[in-house]
Amino acid sequence: MHHSRLNGLVPCRPKRPLALVPNGLRRASLAGMIALTFTLTAGAPVPAVRITVDTAHPGHAVSPLLHGVFFEDINYGADGGLYAELVQNRSFEHQEHLYAWGTVNRGGQGTVTVESAEPLNAKNPHYVRLNIANPGKGFGVANYGFGGIAMKAGENYLFSVRARSAGGYNGVLRVVIEDETGRPLSDCELTGLSEKWQKFDGVIKSSGSATHARLVVLATAQGRVDLDVVSLFPENTWKHRRNGMRADLVQMLADLHPAFMRFPGGCIVEGMDLPNRYQWKDTIGDVAERLENWNRWQDAMGDATAPQYYQTCGLGFFEFFQLCEDLGAEPVPILNCGMACQYESKQLVPLDQLGPFVQDALDLIEFANGPATSPWGERRAAMGHPEPFRLKMLGVGNEQWGEQYFERYKIFQAALKDKHPEIQLVTGAGPGVDDGFWKLAWDKFMSGTPADIVDEHYYRPPQWFLENATRYDAQERRGPKVFAGEFAAHDGPQHRSTLRAAVAEAAFMTGLLRNSDLVVMSSYAPLFAKAGASQWAPDLIWFDNTRVYGTPSYHVQALYSRNRPDVILPVAIDGPPVTLPALSAASASTYGAPVRPPYRSGPLPTLFVAAGWDRQAGEVVLFVANPYAEARDATIALGGANHAATAGKAIVLASTTPDDVNSFEAPATVAPREETLPVEGPEIFHRFPSSSFTVLRLKMAE
Ligand code: AHR
């Protein structure tokens, strides 16, 4: 907006020359520059602000890895989510072996039993047996998918099953997909059963659409039939891959332009107990030979229990690496370090028995990077990827803490650096950033415990994010780098994904960007949640069997990632500071853990701003969060000699109220909209709406 259209308000001019502040000194300098005070009152005039960007003195380079994603199988993120398998409990390995299955009897007689004699293989010990006395018009089983199977008219689906006959069975099997009324959408026959396990597969075309279809397998003769690994995938997965992922969900990730992907967790890496921990070697090779594991999020969160939440590991480490490659994201696998969840069983592997755990880590590096002739490289090549995945980073444990962690970490660190000094290690710092665990970790890092990148986690109220936007400004640079590996603003008791939460995250991220010489990576958490099947909120992306939408926080992540500049430009802000009522120490902590003093609070800036230079585009990029209830009119001055903008655009994330959220019905209530920015003369005028996040891109004269 141009100056002359500011309803008579004149942008504030500094009373004395602005001191442009270098990175790392912002908080103190800002306080010194602010001359006015401002309190939040309804109907107050729009405060005026002056933002000066020093285009002549670029600062440090922005970490190319700054914005990435963290995938964990929580909230049905993998099975029933990203992993496109439509059959739930395909291998009958859930604790209730016939979960999601039912018997279908069309006028015949028989029983369905779960067996384990002479199984398909030792990792897949259970299968289902149809004992058919009289087939009638068909006797068999039906799978109901993950709350129904979604089918689309005219689309192809890949069906497969392991099957064998016994008891003189010599009929065919019928494979029928029926919609919710029982109408067949496809009907095929499977022939050639023998007494040996065999894999049968084929392509099925659906004649109609349904959201709650079921897959029916019917025997047509008397005798016995054994079935295992009953599978149905859409042909249209991401990149049409076999054993692939939901194309619409991966597209949401691709649109974030993630620079890295951290996987597979999170707490599932640790497991509730050690046997439940995530073991990458169980997740590669033929899906029929991957060891299923119960998901530790089954019953972790009060009433959000999901007792049949399982990991088929069909989406395993090969698929993760391939997804990273497809997305152009650096893979960041996190491995168990001999510790189960410290909130749960707290089980520990004795230090002298850590050998196999360390070996798993070394083998993973070989699986990712070794030549196709090496033992683990050969396994990768056999899965269709002879070229290495170029792994550069590896996490030792998830959010582990305390001396028990560091004793184990030391052993991993020494062994991994000895064999693979080229691999950067991601080290835990516990579950919070203001508590004793975090302090212990940083005391160690600053006094000689070797670490490359430290993973910090914070799930806090929106106000905490505002008050901590400067938390890295004064941090010493002589220690390891920081990975803001899990964060999200938790708004109110319901932890709704509001615009308020998103703007607070955006404000905080001005600090990540400004300090991206230190904070080299960041990722929101958790990434995915399935409607009706979630254990944790808020989340970045919500989906059901057919739909998906991004929360306001999703748009913040995308705006940062897609507009990431190459170098930082110093910014000075002149405007009235804001004082908010103090946040209680309890609500400022993660999971109620005690907060170490001094807890940060005090006046907040009138706007949260970071700026950078996009060399290739020849543009200055400003990231501006206004979390307050009033709009802010700002004058933007580009302070470098002979530096003037020739054109500009504003990408604005705002809405009617800060309580607004997105939903399946209204997925774009809070979505970025782009407007042209009139640029005339050396200064630019813009009104930043209340509760908004804006990216300004200013094209500079050559
Ligand atoms: O993101 C949800 C959980 O939060 C992660 O599994 C864990 O690392 C953290 O406690």
Side-chain angles (χ1 to χ4, degrees):
M1 181 175 289
H2 193 272
H3 185 190
S4 60
R5 282 188 256 146
L6 288 182
N7 298 329
L9 281 170
V10 179
C12 163
R13 301 279 164 191
K15 295 198 170 47
R16 56 177 185 275
L18 283 176
L20 286 167
V21 289
N23 295 301
L25 295 176
R26 288 213 43 77
R27 191 176 177 81
S29 306
L30 193 64
M33 285 191 296
I34 290 168
L36 307 171
T37 52
F38 177 75
T39 45
L40 290 170
T41 41
V46 174
V49 186
R50 185 175 176 85
I51 300 169
T52 307
V53 182
D54 185 356
T55 48
H57 297 98
H60 61 78
V62 175
S63 164
L65 294 182
L66 187 55
H67 307 294
V69 293
F70 161 46
F71 178 86
E72 176 172 25
D73 187 3
I74 183 172
N75 307 318
Y76 278 78
D79 292 290
L82 189 59
Y83 185 49
E85 172 66 85
L86 294 167
V87 174
Q88 182 165 201
N89 189 17
R90 67 182 173 196
S91 295
F92 309 100
E93 299 300 338
H94 280 41
Q95 56 192 4
E96 209 182 290
H97 294 289
L98 288 174
Y99 181 74
W101 290 93
T103 302
V104 180
N105 184 356
R106 303 213 159 134
Q109 265 185 318
T111 57
V112 175
T113 53
V114 176
E115 308 287 339
S116 55
E118 296 178 64
L120 193 56
N121 60 64
K123 293 197 171 167
N124 192 347
H126 300 96
Y127 57 90
V128 82
R129 172 164 289 175
L130 311 180
N131 307 282
I132 313 116
N134 163 15
K137 291 193 170 151
F139 182 89
V141 284
N143 186 273
Y144 300 92
F146 294 88
I149 293 177
M151 302 290 289
K152 276 198 195 146
E155 296 230 336
N156 285 339
Y157 294 83
L158 309 177
F159 170 80
S160 66
V161 64
R162 306 311 202 268
R164 71 179 173 198
S165 61
Y169 186 89
N170 61 6
V172 299
L173 287 180
R174 270 181 67 206
V175 179
V176 190
I177 297 177
E178 298 175 347
D179 72 9
E180 32 288 82
T181 67
R183 181 177 61 114
L185 303 176
S186 75
D187 192 341
C188 333
E189 282 190 352
L190 192 158
T191 57
L193 259 63
S194 73
E195 291 187 357
K196 285 204 160 54
W197 284 111
Q198 291 178 81
K199 181 178 179 183
F200 298 87
D201 56 14
V203 180
I204 286 173
K205 189 185 270 302
S206 182
S207 63
S209 295
T211 52
H212 286 77
R214 60 182 196 158
L215 169 70
V216 181
V217 183
L218 293 172
T220 57
Q222 195 238 331
R224 290 197 300 271
V225 176
D226 296 337
L227 305 172
D228 206 349
V229 200
V230 187
S231 169
L232 185 71
F233 272 87
E235 189 181 58
N236 183 21
T237 54
W238 172 255
K239 288 192 180 277
H240 291 265
R241 291 238 163 76
R242 295 293 170 106
N243 192 45
M245 296 179 218
R246 255 179 74 169
D248 56 343
L249 299 192
V250 180
Q251 190 59 53
M252 290 293 283
L253 299 185
D255 290 345
L256 284 172
H257 294 189
F260 66 88
M261 185 165 98
R262 173 177 175 239
F263 59 87
C267 292
I268 68 164
V269 167
E270 305 164 21
M272 284 288 208
D273 53 21
L274 283 168
N276 178 233
R277 74 189 188 277
Y278 196 98
Q279 300 192 56
W280 75 267
K281 287 176 179 167
D282 290 334
T283 75
I284 59 165
D286 182 349
V287 295
E289 292 178 19
R290 300 188 190 183
L291 189 67
E292 286 204 6
N293 194 353
W294 58 278
N295 190 302
R296 68 87 74 212
W297 292 107
Q298 273 188 0
D299 55 3
M301 303 299 281
D303 54 2
T305 56
Q308 299 294 347
Y309 190 6
Y310 264 64
Q311 304 170 77
T312 60
C313 300
L315 169 51
F317 262 50
F318 179 85
E319 290 78 17
F320 280 127
F321 279 124
Q322 195 167 49
L323 177 61
C324 290
E325 188 173 77
D326 288 348
L327 296 174
E330 293 294 344
V332 186
I334 308 292
L335 295 184
N336 188 293
C337 63
M339 302 176 81
C341 183
Q342 290 170 278
Y343 287 113
E344 305 290 345
S345 72
K346 305 175 176 49
Q347 286 178 356
L348 294 172
V349 176
L351 297 181
D352 60 359
Q353 291 169 34
L354 273 180
F357 288 72
V358 173
Q359 193 57 48
D360 275 358
L362 294 169
D363 291 344
L364 179 66
I365 298 172
E366 185 175 291
F367 178 73
N369 293 353
T373 48
S374 63
W376 288 102
E378 193 179 349
R379 300 284 294 272
R380 180 193 71 238
M383 292 184 76
H385 203 289
E387 310 78 28
F389 282 119
R390 297 187 183 81
L391 177 70
K392 299 188 188 106
M393 280 173 280
L394 183 67
V396 180
N398 176 38
E399 58 179 23
Q400 264 51 73
W401 65 74
E403 294 294 352
Q404 293 170 332
Y405 172 56
F406 283 99
E407 287 167 348
R408 285 163 181 76
Y409 167 73
K410 248 170 44 193
I411 294 172
F412 275 81
Q413 200 273 345
L416 288 166
K417 286 291 178 186
D418 181 45
K419 292 236 164 57
H420 293 285
E422 76 284 5
I423 299 286
Q424 295 264 294
L425 297 183
V426 175
T427 310
V433 284
D434 300 295
D435 56 20
F437 302 135
W438 174 82
K439 180 174 178 332
L440 173 91
W442 276 98
D443 284 350
K444 284 186 181 291
F445 301 138
M446 290 308 199
S447 61
T449 297
D452 300 317
I453 305 168
V454 177
D455 183 12
E456 299 195 334
H457 297 176
Y458 18 91
Y459 298 103
R460 307 292 174 88
Q463 188 174 327
W464 182 94
F465 282 88
L466 304 183
E467 293 174 348
N468 280 268
T470 50
R471 69 172 293 121
Y472 296 110
D473 287 0
Q475 183 160 328
E476 281 187 71
R477 268 35 183 186
R478 69 182 168 89
K481 304 289 185 198
V482 173
F483 173 15
E486 293 184 25
F487 69 88
H490 285 189
D491 192 3
Q494 304 297 321
H495 297 178
R496 296 172 76 226
S497 288
T498 57
L499 174 61
R500 179 185 301 104
V503 173
E505 289 151 7
F508 177 77
M509 289 174 74
T510 58
L512 299 188
L513 181 59
R514 186 169 59 243
N515 291 287
S516 63
D517 57 326
L518 170 71
V519 186
V520 291
M521 298 160 76
S522 69
S523 44
Y524 182 100
L527 184 58
F528 282 118
K530 186 166 194 172
S534 78
Q535 299 86 42
W536 184 293
D539 306 285
L540 206 60
I541 299 167
W542 284 81
F543 63 90
D544 63 12
N545 283 346
T546 53
R547 301 173 296 177
V548 59
Y549 71 86
T551 58
S553 297
Y554 173 87
H555 294 298
V556 167
Q557 294 302 313
L559 285 172
Y560 266 104
S561 182
R562 297 172 70 121
N563 290 287
R564 184 180 56 77
D566 306 299
V567 291
I568 286 299
L569 294 173
V571 178
I573 305 159
D574 186 30
V578 177
T579 304
L580 299 179
L583 196 57
S584 75
S587 67
S589 77
T590 298
Y591 317 127
V595 173
R596 284 180 55 251
Y599 170 64
R600 276 162 216 270
S601 59
L604 300 175
T606 191
L607 283 174
F608 292 79
V609 187
W613 173 241
D614 179 339
R615 275 206 192 91
Q616 206 186 346
E619 292 178 359
V620 168
V621 191
L622 273 94
F623 301 82
V624 184
N626 176 9
Y628 307 117
E630 297 81 17
R632 299 283 198 257
D633 281 331
T635 305
I636 299 154
L638 302 175
N642 301 325
H643 283 193
T646 56
K649 72 174 174 189
I651 313 164
V652 185
L653 190 69
S655 192
T656 321
T657 83
D659 288 319
D660 280 351
V661 296
N662 291 336
S663 64
F664 290 117
E665 292 69 35
T669 301
V670 185
R673 65 189 157 71
E674 207 170 295
E675 42 190 73
T676 306
L677 203 64
V679 176
E680 292 162 30
E683 297 188 336
I684 296 151
F685 301 94
H686 187 70
R687 172 167 287 182
F688 293 95
S690 63
S691 299
S692 67
F693 173 51
T694 304
V695 177
L696 297 179
R697 296 200 65 110
L698 307 174
K699 189 97 194 151
M700 302 303 286
E702 287 299 319

